[in-house]
Amino acid sequence: MGLFAISDLHLPAHKKPMDIFGPHWEHHFEHIAEDWRARVTPQDIVLLPGDFSWAMTLEEAADDIAMVGALPGRKVLLRGNHDYWWNAIGRVRRALPEGMFAIQNDALILDEYVFAGSRGWVIPSERAEDSDDLRIYNRERMRLNMSLDTAERIADGREIVVMMHYPPLTNQLAGFSDILKQRGIRHCVYGHLHGAALGAAVRGTVDGVTYHQVSCDGLGFKVYHIDLDGSDAAD
């Protein structure tokens, strides 16, 4: 069983042309799907940490869900900042096909792993003590702790792998990384960043936690293989 990840698929529920963000985005899902089918088996797990579809409603996201659901492997979804289609978690889960799962304030066991996480948020600077960003950031820290509480309760010795959408830390700000360090998490996957912002992404091991940046354009529109016994291991 292999573990893979890819985020920010930005599937075109509204036929939004992604090549407005650069020619490399043209037919991007076709490139992702081709690589996915070549490398992922039905027994493998693929983590999808956010910005799955441009859809505004769950009904509009149905075709996008079906396209990814038809690909090999078991898929674990986390909500991103552009996933407006993601409403009540019960409705989302009922809309997912067999072998497709969603995490929200809880955790999921698949084989020898437990998957947990939260969307995260922009990490506020010290100058933003009264900002709305700080309020949402603190709420997301609470949600991450809720998810990890559940993960620890059900783990029974299994490895806990964390998914986030926003970067859990920057080169200057600790963000959510203190929680991951205190909980003994070894691996965290995240997305959200695109283009030039990928150059400042934290990758590799910091304070015992290995961070895997998996935005699809940063991966050349190929799924990312996670080596849980190694480090940042893109194929």
Side-chain angles (χ1 to χ4, degrees):
M1 190 279 291
L3 183 60
F4 295 84
I6 188 166
S7 75
D8 298 78
L9 299 184
H10 289 293
L11 294 178
H14 296 288
K15 308 301 181 186
K16 181 167 182 173
M18 289 299 294
D19 57 2
I20 64 172
F21 300 108
H24 59 299
W25 279 94
E26 187 173 0
H27 304 300
H28 77 288
F29 185 68
E30 286 88 342
H31 298 306
I32 291 169
E34 181 181 7
D35 177 71
W36 188 317
R37 293 189 188 99
R39 296 171 55 212
V40 178
T41 73
Q43 294 75 36
D44 293 336
I45 298 170
V46 183
L47 306 181
L48 299 162
D51 282 6
F52 179 84
S53 170
W54 288 114
M56 298 299 292
T57 68
L58 184 56
E59 291 73 22
E60 290 175 351
D63 287 346
D64 296 336
I65 291 170
M67 283 196 307
V68 174
L71 294 171
R74 293 166 287 172
K75 302 94 181 174
V76 185
L77 278 67
L78 185 81
R79 187 176 188 177
N81 60 304
H82 287 128
D83 285 317
Y84 301 114
W85 61 273
W86 185 308
N87 45 35
I89 186 60
R91 289 195 66 224
V92 170
R93 285 173 174 157
R94 287 191 295 272
L96 298 178
E98 183 178 359
M100 205 165 183
F101 310 90
I103 291 175
Q104 183 171 303
N105 303 334
D106 53 11
L108 170 72
I109 294 175
L110 288 177
D111 298 339
E112 65 266 38
Y113 304 112
V114 178
F115 300 101
S118 74
R119 179 188 62 179
W121 195 246
V122 175
I123 302 171
S125 69
E126 294 179 359
R127 298 186 300 275
E129 294 180 357
D130 298 318
S131 70
D132 284 343
D133 282 341
L134 181 60
R135 175 181 57 80
I136 300 172
Y137 164 76
N138 285 330
R139 184 184 68 195
E140 289 297 315
R141 284 178 60 88
M142 178 187 69
R143 289 175 172 173
L144 177 59
N145 276 312
M146 288 172 58
S147 179
L148 288 170
D149 286 345
T150 301
E152 290 174 355
R153 204 161 48 241
I154 65 177
D156 193 24
R158 297 177 178 87
E159 174 98 15
I160 299 173
V161 178
V162 168
M163 303 167 62
M164 298 193 71
H165 180 63
Y166 282 86
L169 76 168
T170 72
N171 288 317
Q172 293 80 32
L173 301 169
F176 299 83
S177 61
D178 60 323
I179 296 174
L180 304 181
K181 177 183 177 182
Q182 290 164 10
R183 297 278 191 153
I185 301 302
R186 295 197 309 134
H187 291 273
C188 175
V189 302
Y190 71 98
H192 185 67
L193 302 179
H194 298 288
L198 286 164
V202 175
R203 299 178 176 88
T205 303
V206 179
D207 290 335
V209 184
T210 300
Y211 295 94
H212 306 271
Q213 214 299 322
V214 297
S215 296
C216 66
D217 51 329
L219 302 177
F221 305 103
K222 297 179 179 181
V223 293
Y224 173 99
H225 178 247
I226 302 171
D227 178 5
L228 293 183
D229 295 318
S231 58
D232 205 1
D235 284 348

PDB file of all heavy atoms in Angstrom, residues 105-119:
ATOM      1  N   ASN A 105     -12.895  18.131  11.500  1.00  0.00           N
ATOM      2  CA  ASN A 105     -12.867  18.160  12.972  1.00  0.00           C
ATOM      3  C   ASN A 105     -12.815  16.766  13.578  1.00  0.00           C
ATOM      4  O   ASN A 105     -13.181  16.576  14.751  1.00  0.00           O
ATOM      5  CB  ASN A 105     -14.081  18.902  13.537  1.00  0.00           C
ATOM      6  CG  ASN A 105     -14.196  20.314  13.007  1.00  0.00           C
ATOM      7  OD1 ASN A 105     -13.201  20.928  12.628  1.00  0.00           O
ATOM      8  ND2 ASN A 105     -15.410  20.834  12.952  1.00  0.00           N
ATOM      9  N   ASP A 106     -12.388  15.770  12.809  1.00  0.00           N
ATOM     10  CA  ASP A 106     -12.326  14.408  13.324  1.00  0.00           C
ATOM     11  C   ASP A 106     -11.137  13.704  12.684  1.00  0.00           C
ATOM     12  O   ASP A 106     -10.208  14.365  12.210  1.00  0.00           O
ATOM     13  CB  ASP A 106     -13.651  13.674  13.087  1.00  0.00           C
ATOM     14  CG  ASP A 106     -14.117  13.717  11.623  1.00  0.00           C
ATOM     15  OD1 ASP A 106     -13.316  14.124  10.755  1.00  0.00           O
ATOM     16  OD2 ASP A 106     -15.265  13.338  11.358  1.00  0.00           O
ATOM     17  N   ALA A 107     -11.142  12.388  12.649  1.00  0.00           N
ATOM     18  CA  ALA A 107     -10.019  11.636  12.109  1.00  0.00           C
ATOM     19  C   ALA A 107     -10.533  10.353  11.476  1.00  0.00           C
ATOM     20  O   ALA A 107     -11.671   9.938  11.705  1.00  0.00           O
ATOM     21  CB  ALA A 107      -9.012  11.331  13.215  1.00  0.00           C
ATOM     22  N   LEU A 108      -9.688   9.728  10.687  1.00  0.00           N
ATOM     23  CA  LEU A 108     -10.078   8.570   9.891  1.00  0.00           C
ATOM     24  C   LEU A 108      -8.976   7.524   9.934  1.00  0.00           C
ATOM     25  O   LEU A 108      -7.798   7.840   9.721  1.00  0.00           O
ATOM     26  CB  LEU A 108     -10.296   9.017   8.436  1.00  0.00           C
ATOM     27  CG  LEU A 108     -10.483   7.928   7.382  1.00  0.00           C
ATOM     28  CD1 LEU A 108     -11.850   7.268   7.533  1.00  0.00           C
ATOM     29  CD2 LEU A 108     -10.318   8.509   5.970  1.00  0.00           C
ATOM     30  N   ILE A 109      -9.357   6.275  10.190  1.00  0.00           N
ATOM     31  CA  ILE A 109      -8.430   5.146  10.119  1.00  0.00           C
ATOM     32  C   ILE A 109      -8.528   4.500   8.747  1.00  0.00           C
ATOM     33  O   ILE A 109      -9.616   4.162   8.282  1.00  0.00           O
ATOM     34  CB  ILE A 109      -8.745   4.088  11.190  1.00  0.00           C
ATOM     35  CG1 ILE A 109      -8.510   4.626  12.606  1.00  0.00           C
ATOM     36  CG2 ILE A 109      -7.887   2.838  10.969  1.00  0.00           C
ATOM     37  CD1 ILE A 109      -8.921   3.655  13.699  1.00  0.00           C
ATOM     38  N   LEU A 110      -7.387   4.331   8.103  1.00  0.00           N
ATOM     39  CA  LEU A 110      -7.279   3.519   6.901  1.00  0.00           C
ATOM     40  C   LEU A 110      -6.011   2.682   7.038  1.00  0.00           C
ATOM     41  O   LEU A 110      -4.905   3.234   7.103  1.00  0.00           O
ATOM     42  CB  LEU A 110      -7.213   4.366   5.635  1.00  0.00           C
ATOM     43  CG  LEU A 110      -8.494   5.066   5.182  1.00  0.00           C
ATOM     44  CD1 LEU A 110      -8.221   5.932   3.952  1.00  0.00           C
ATOM     45  CD2 LEU A 110      -9.601   4.059   4.873  1.00  0.00           C
ATOM     46  N   ASP A 111      -6.188   1.381   7.118  1.00  0.00           N
ATOM     47  CA  ASP A 111      -5.064   0.463   7.278  1.00  0.00           C
ATOM     48  C   ASP A 111      -4.260   0.825   8.529  1.00  0.00           C
ATOM     49  O   ASP A 111      -4.825   0.999   9.593  1.00  0.00           O
ATOM     50  CB  ASP A 111      -4.203   0.431   6.020  1.00  0.00           C
ATOM     51  CG  ASP A 111      -4.980  -0.063   4.804  1.00  0.00           C
ATOM     52  OD1 ASP A 111      -6.008  -0.737   4.989  1.00  0.00           O
ATOM     53  OD2 ASP A 111      -4.550   0.236   3.670  1.00  0.00           O
ATOM     54  N   GLU A 112      -2.944   1.011   8.363  1.00  0.00           N
ATOM     55  CA  GLU A 112      -2.104   1.272   9.539  1.00  0.00           C
ATOM     56  C   GLU A 112      -1.929   2.758   9.830  1.00  0.00           C
ATOM     57  O   GLU A 112      -1.079   3.140  10.644  1.00  0.00           O
ATOM     58  CB  GLU A 112      -0.723   0.626   9.370  1.00  0.00           C
ATOM     59  CG  GLU A 112       0.124   1.206   8.243  1.00  0.00           C
ATOM     60  CD  GLU A 112       0.009   0.455   6.931  1.00  0.00           C
ATOM     61  OE1 GLU A 112      -1.102   0.001   6.607  1.00  0.00           O
ATOM     62  OE2 GLU A 112       1.048   0.334   6.245  1.00  0.00           O
ATOM     63  N   TYR A 113      -2.741   3.611   9.210  1.00  0.00           N
ATOM     64  CA  TYR A 113      -2.610   5.048   9.399  1.00  0.00           C
ATOM     65  C   TYR A 113      -3.892   5.659   9.946  1.00  0.00           C
ATOM     66  O   TYR A 113      -4.996   5.157   9.728  1.00  0.00           O
ATOM     67  CB  TYR A 113      -2.266   5.740   8.073  1.00  0.00           C
ATOM     68  CG  TYR A 113      -1.027   5.198   7.431  1.00  0.00           C
ATOM     69  CD1 TYR A 113      -1.106   4.480   6.241  1.00  0.00           C
ATOM     70  CD2 TYR A 113       0.221   5.377   8.021  1.00  0.00           C
ATOM     71  CE1 TYR A 113       0.035   3.960   5.648  1.00  0.00           C
ATOM     72  CE2 TYR A 113       1.363   4.859   7.432  1.00  0.00           C
ATOM     73  CZ  TYR A 113       1.264   4.145   6.252  1.00  0.00           C
ATOM     74  OH  TYR A 113       2.391   3.629   5.678  1.00  0.00           O
ATOM     75  N   VAL A 114      -3.723   6.789  10.641  1.00  0.00           N
ATOM     76  CA  VAL A 114      -4.851   7.636  11.027  1.00  0.00           C
ATOM     77  C   VAL A 114      -4.611   9.000  10.395  1.00  0.00           C
ATOM     78  O   VAL A 114      -3.512   9.567  10.503  1.00  0.00           O
ATOM     79  CB  VAL A 114      -4.967   7.780  12.555  1.00  0.00           C
ATOM     80  CG1 VAL A 114      -6.130   8.704  12.919  1.00  0.00           C
ATOM     81  CG2 VAL A 114      -5.155   6.417  13.203  1.00  0.00           C
ATOM     82  N   PHE A 115      -5.628   9.532   9.730  1.00  0.00           N
ATOM     83  CA  PHE A 115      -5.513  10.820   9.066  1.00  0.00           C
ATOM     84  C   PHE A 115      -6.342  11.857   9.813  1.00  0.00           C
ATOM     85  O   PHE A 115      -7.497  11.619  10.160  1.00  0.00           O
ATOM     86  CB  PHE A 115      -5.965  10.706   7.611  1.00  0.00           C
ATOM     87  CG  PHE A 115      -5.136   9.718   6.843  1.00  0.00           C
ATOM     88  CD1 PHE A 115      -5.599   8.432   6.592  1.00  0.00           C
ATOM     89  CD2 PHE A 115      -3.864  10.061   6.423  1.00  0.00           C
ATOM     90  CE1 PHE A 115      -4.820   7.515   5.911  1.00  0.00           C
ATOM     91  CE2 PHE A 115      -3.066   9.147   5.741  1.00  0.00           C
ATOM     92  CZ  PHE A 115      -3.551   7.870   5.487  1.00  0.00           C
ATOM     93  N   ALA A 116      -5.707  13.000  10.075  1.00  0.00           N
ATOM     94  CA  ALA A 116      -6.334  14.080  10.833  1.00  0.00           C
ATOM     95  C   ALA A 116      -5.964  15.391  10.168  1.00  0.00           C
ATOM     96  O   ALA A 116      -5.157  15.437   9.236  1.00  0.00           O
ATOM     97  CB  ALA A 116      -5.869  14.051  12.288  1.00  0.00           C
ATOM     98  N   GLY A 117      -6.552  16.503  10.658  1.00  0.00           N
ATOM     99  CA  GLY A 117      -6.151  17.794  10.133  1.00  0.00           C
ATOM    100  C   GLY A 117      -7.237  18.840  10.180  1.00  0.00           C
ATOM    101  O   GLY A 117      -8.353  18.593  10.633  1.00  0.00           O
ATOM    102  N   SER A 118      -6.903  20.024   9.694  1.00  0.00           N
ATOM    103  CA  SER A 118      -7.844  21.132   9.579  1.00  0.00           C
ATOM    104  C   SER A 118      -7.409  22.012   8.418  1.00  0.00           C
ATOM    105  O   SER A 118      -6.270  21.909   7.935  1.00  0.00           O
ATOM    106  CB  SER A 118      -7.911  21.957  10.867  1.00  0.00           C
ATOM    107  OG  SER A 118      -6.760  22.758  11.007  1.00  0.00           O
ATOM    108  N   ARG A 119      -8.315  22.873   7.984  1.00  0.00           N
ATOM    109  CA  ARG A 119      -8.007  23.758   6.866  1.00  0.00           C
ATOM    110  C   ARG A 119      -6.833  24.675   7.180  1.00  0.00           C
ATOM    111  O   ARG A 119      -5.999  24.964   6.325  1.00  0.00           O
ATOM    112  CB  ARG A 119      -9.239  24.609   6.533  1.00  0.00           C
ATOM    113  CG  ARG A 119      -9.042  25.599   5.406  1.00  0.00           C
ATOM    114  CD  ARG A 119     -10.228  26.529   5.274  1.00  0.00           C
ATOM    115  NE  ARG A 119     -10.424  27.327   6.480  1.00  0.00           N
ATOM    116  CZ  ARG A 119     -11.379  28.235   6.630  1.00  0.00           C
ATOM    117  NH1 ARG A 119     -12.249  28.439   5.667  1.00  0.00           N
ATOM    118  NH2 ARG A 119     -11.479  28.922   7.742  1.00  0.00           N
TER     119      ARG A 119
END
